[in-house]
Amino acid sequence: MTTPTKIIFDTDPGIDDAMALLFIEASPALDLIAVTTIFGNSDIDTTTRNALYLKRRFGLKAPVYKGTDKPLVRPRNPSPTFVHGENGLGDVELTGLVPEQPEAKPAHQAIIDLARQYPGEVVLCAVGPLTNLALALQADPEVASLLKSVVIMGGAFGVAGKPGNVTPVAEANIWNDPEAADQVFTAPWKLTAVSLDVTTQVVMSPAYMDALAAGGSDAGGFLNAISKPYAAFYGGRDGIVGCCVHDAAAVAFVIDPTLFTVRRGSVRVVTEGIALGQTCQKAEGELFGPSAWDDQPIQAATIAVDGERLLKLYAETMTAKHG
């Protein structure tokens, strides 16, 4: 048995965030050492409350650190309540909810401190807007060399799947803070973007979610319940039967990168104009004249996925933990 990988989960819970968080907690391959929260699917107070609720309800040991409440330079976009509900978790009743407080330290400082405490050991998995990561880079640029790697759920490269989900060319996490995203993609750490190119190709069907709940566990039942409004949104907008595996796909990459095919190259994010939030990769080895992609770090973007294996990994991991 190999030593579990230490992971910080930067998240804006969020229905698919909850699916991913419980996946991390259930996986013997991962050691969750912190949850850091960010605005996105809801405002920062709601996402932090949801993280604390999930921690208490499902017995997570990791501390929760509250992140920033707004993007680096622009106003916060309205919360997508039509996707995640007013409470961020599909408006299911949050049974046993009690007021709790996160750790006193801000999220970006927690990221820095944990990277320094465990140099070369920590994977930072970020599935919301990337503002906490940008703030960590600004406060301590060395954090880029101290983390083992960064895996984000974000971006869309137009190779497969959907080229955007909030505009024709932009994915929500990047669009919510494009300036932060550009800083994160151009930082000298090892980064992989698990993009809409793959996440929109993997769907948890109603039957799949019912099977997760069939074991009778609280986790399976909860995930099945919150998946229903999420699936209704996808069905109404995209004609999908079920819900796309967005954030849990990023966790799956940390557990088993062989599920994915990646393309390597420098990535820039559009920060103004009609293509705001678009992620643009210059594939490694392509030759052009001088451009904004020159002399930037080579990062990875997912362009294909073995969806069947990914769904099998998720179901087996959850069932083994929760029965």
Side-chain angles (χ1 to χ4, degrees):
M1 184 74 182
T2 56
T3 305
T5 298
K6 291 181 173 64
I7 185 170
I8 299 171
F9 191 51
D10 190 79
T11 178
D12 56 335
I15 294 168
D16 55 329
D17 304 72
M19 293 175 170
L21 180 57
L22 296 185
F23 186 26
I24 293 171
E25 191 269 335
S27 174
L30 301 177
D31 174 16
L32 181 64
I33 61 171
V35 176
T36 53
T37 64
I38 189 66
F39 66 90
N41 291 327
S42 297
D43 62 83
I44 189 63
D45 289 335
T46 302
T47 61
T48 303
R49 180 208 64 194
N50 289 350
L52 289 164
Y53 173 75
L54 294 166
K55 170 183 165 73
R56 170 183 276 265
R57 178 162 174 177
F58 298 105
L60 311 185
K61 303 290 191 291
V64 174
Y65 299 90
K66 184 178 181 179
T68 187
D69 62 348
K70 60 184 183 298
L72 292 180
V73 299
R74 59 181 66 239
R76 184 176 77 84
N77 293 315
S79 300
T81 54
F82 56 93
V83 182
H84 294 273
E86 294 292 341
N87 75 355
L89 292 171
D91 288 332
V92 301
E93 183 181 350
L94 301 183
T95 309
L97 178 66
V98 294
E100 292 186 74
Q101 292 299 314
E103 305 295 320
K105 188 184 296 183
H108 76 275
Q109 190 61 50
I111 291 168
I112 292 166
D113 292 350
L114 288 164
R116 289 197 166 279
Q117 183 178 348
Y118 303 108
E121 295 182 44
V122 178
V123 175
L124 175 54
C125 183
V127 298
L130 299 175
T131 320
N132 288 336
L133 283 67
L135 291 172
L137 286 167
Q138 292 174 13
D140 185 356
E142 283 187 13
V143 74
S145 62
L146 293 168
L147 287 165
K148 181 178 181 180
S149 65
V150 174
V151 177
I152 72 165
M153 188 277 123
F157 296 89
V159 177
K162 285 178 72 71
N165 63 358
V166 286
T167 80
V169 296
E171 180 276 326
N173 290 335
I174 307 302
W175 178 78
N176 272 317
D177 194 347
E179 287 81 10
D182 193 55
Q183 290 183 27
V184 168
F185 274 109
T186 57
W189 45 26
K190 179 185 176 186
L191 182 144
T192 301
V194 179
S195 64
L196 293 183
D197 301 79
V198 298
T199 66
T200 53
Q201 294 188 59
V202 189
V203 176
M204 291 178 170
S205 69
Y208 179 93
M209 297 308 300
D210 288 343
L212 277 183
S217 74
D218 187 29
F222 176 76
L223 293 178
N224 190 31
I226 64 173
S227 76
K228 300 304 184 193
Y230 203 45
F233 163 74
Y234 280 112
R237 190 187 72 171
D238 300 326
I240 291 171
V241 180
C243 46
C244 293
V245 183
H246 291 303
D247 294 350
V251 175
F253 184 91
V254 180
I255 298 171
D256 184 2
T258 70
L259 294 167
F260 300 86
T261 303
V262 301
R263 184 179 70 183
R264 293 174 52 77
S266 51
V267 177
R268 299 305 305 268
V269 178
V270 178
T271 55
E272 57 188 338
I274 62 170
L276 182 76
Q278 184 175 17
T279 47
C280 306
Q281 185 181 47
K282 173 186 172 288
E284 194 172 26
E286 287 189 343
L287 299 177
F288 298 97
S291 75
W293 288 260
D294 296 346
D295 304 317
Q296 297 294 344
I298 300 297
Q299 310 292 17
T302 56
I303 59 171
V305 60
D306 187 334
E308 192 174 320
R309 278 178 59 215
L310 194 160
L311 290 170
K312 186 168 182 278
L313 173 66
Y314 188 92
E316 288 180 350
T317 301
M318 296 302 294
T319 302
K321 173 73 175 185
H322 297 287

